[in-house]
Amino acid sequence: MAVSTRPDKPTLATVARQTGVSAPTVSKVVNGRDDVAPETRARVLAALEQAGYQSPLQRRSAAEAGTVVEVVLDVLDSAYTVEVLNGILRFAAGADVEILVSLTGTTPSTRLSPERRAQRIIDEGRAGMIVVTSAFSEAQLHAFRRRQIPVVVIDPLNPPSADVVSVGATNWAGGKAATEHLLELGHRRIAYIGGIEGAECNQARLHGYMAALMAQGVPVDPQYIVSGGKFRRDSGVAGLKALLKLEQRPTAIFAGSDSIALGVLSEAGRHGLRIPDDISLIGFDGTSQGQEAVPALTSVAQPLEEMGRAALRSLLRQARGEVLDSHRVELATQVIVRDSTAPPAA
C-alpha cells in the first residue's frame, strides 16, 4: 500500500506553535494588521512562507478574480508617464486585464512595509506589479521575489538586480545621437542638463553625450554638465540659469527629457533668448508636448507606448510561468528633427 509523505495542510495553529506566538497573532500577520511587532511579523511571515500557507482570501482571489495588475507611478502629470500608461492600458484592454494605478508621489509617509505590500498583492489576487520610473528598494524586490510575485520596472531610478525584468530604451545610443546631431550642425559648446543624477537612464544619456563629444575631439567641459535633480520643467529653468552665468555660454543644450527642455524653452524667453537662433535645444522622450511647443522641439523619441505594452506583456508571461528570453527589454530610440535646432550663429 502506498503511503503518502505529503505533509499535512498547514494551519494558523501549527505556525503559531512553530513560532512561539498565539494563533490570533498569526491571524493578525496574515490579515496585514499593524499591531504586531516587526520582529514577530518577520518570524511569522518566514514560517508561513516555509509552510506554504495560503489565506482563504488568497485562495478565493486566485480562483475567482480576473487578472489584475498594479501599476506604480511616481507622478501622473508628465507626458512621459501618460504615454507609457496609455501603452499599458491599450494592451490590457486587448488582453482582458484590469489595471490598478497607484502614485508613490502622493503616498503618505506611513506606507506599507515591503513584506505587507507583497502580501497584499497576493491576498488581493493581483498578478503582479509594474513600476514606472520609481525607486523600488532591494527590500521590496526581495519581498516580492520570496513570494514569486512578477515585477517589471520601466526606466528604473536605481539599477535593478539581474533577475528583475526591466524595460527601457537605448538611452546611451540616444544620448550619443542627440549630441551628434548638434555636432553635425557645427556646435562645439554643447551643454547637458540632466534629471535625477543617479538614475540609470540619466547616466546612460550623459555617457552617450560624453562619448559623442570625445569621438569628435571636443573636450568634455564639466561646467556644461548640470544636474537638474529631476526630469521636470523646473530642472530646465534652473539649469539654463546656471549656464547663463558662465563666461562662455553654450551654443546648444541637450536636455535629458522633454520636460527639462520645455523648462529651458520657457526660461530662454524670459531672458530674451531665441531658440534656435541664440541657443539650439534638443530634448529626450519624443512626447506630444514637445511636438506642440513653439518652436517644435527636436527630440530623441522613445517608443513610450510600446515600452508600456512590452512591460505588461513580460509581466503576464511571468505570471503564466513562462521563462523569458531576457530580463532586459531595450527598445530603439530615434532623433526627430524639428524647429528647435539650427547651426550656431556666426
Side-chain angles (χ1 to χ4, degrees), residues 42-43 90 101 103 120 173 202 209 212 277 295 315 332:
R43 192 165 73 250
R90 287 173 180 166
V101 177
L103 300 179
R120 188 196 65 179
N202 183 72
Y209 153 86
D277 298 340
L315 188 140

Side-chain angles (χ1 to χ4, degrees), residues 42-59:
R43 192 165 73 250
V44 171
L45 284 171
L48 287 168
E49 180 184 13
Q50 185 176 9
Y53 177 82
Q54 284 187 318
S55 70
L57 177 58
Q58 179 182 343
R59 292 191 295 270

Side-chain angles (χ1 to χ4, degrees), residues 17 26 53 63 93 119 126 163 166 175 183 206-207 213 230 247 294 324:
R17 285 195 300 272
V26 177
Y53 177 82
Q119 190 60 43
R126 299 177 191 174
D163 60 343
S166 62
L183 289 165
L206 171 61
H207 291 158
L213 292 178
K230 48 190 173 181
E247 183 176 346
V294 179
L324 303 182

Side-chain angles (χ1 to χ4, degrees), residues 49 54 58 118-119 121-122 126-129 140-151 315 318-321:
E49 180 184 13
Q54 284 187 318
Q58 179 182 343
Q119 190 60 43
I121 291 287
I122 291 177
R126 299 177 191 174
M129 179 181 286
Q140 288 172 316
L141 290 173
H142 180 67
F144 277 58
R145 192 181 299 119
R146 286 175 56 204
R147 292 166 174 79
Q148 298 183 323
I149 300 171
V151 176
L315 188 140
Q318 290 181 80
R320 291 193 294 264

Side-chain angles (χ1 to χ4, degrees), residues 184-258:
E184 288 167 3
L185 290 171
H187 294 279
R188 292 299 179 268
R189 300 199 306 272
I190 303 170
Y192 175 73
I193 303 178
I196 299 172
E197 189 170 9
E200 187 176 32
C201 58
N202 183 72
Q203 286 295 310
R205 293 167 196 175
L206 171 61
H207 291 158
Y209 153 86
M210 296 169 67
L213 292 178
M214 290 186 289
Q216 292 295 317
V218 178
V220 176
D221 189 340
Q223 293 185 104
Y224 289 160
I225 300 174
V226 181
S227 175
K230 48 190 173 181
F231 293 100
R232 300 179 70 79
R233 283 176 179 253
D234 52 0
S235 294
V237 171
L240 181 59
K241 286 180 178 178
L243 293 170
L244 292 180
K245 294 177 182 177
L246 298 177
E247 183 176 346
Q248 194 169 41
R249 298 176 175 179
T251 62
I253 294 173
F254 167 32
S257 74
D258 281 0

Side-chain angles (χ1 to χ4, degrees), residues 291-316:
Q291 185 175 355
E292 294 164 2
V294 179
L297 183 65
T298 297
S299 184
V300 179
Q302 300 190 76
L304 298 176
E305 289 202 9
E306 178 54 34
M307 286 163 60
R309 289 192 291 269
L312 182 53
R313 188 184 302 116
S314 296
L315 188 140
L316 294 176

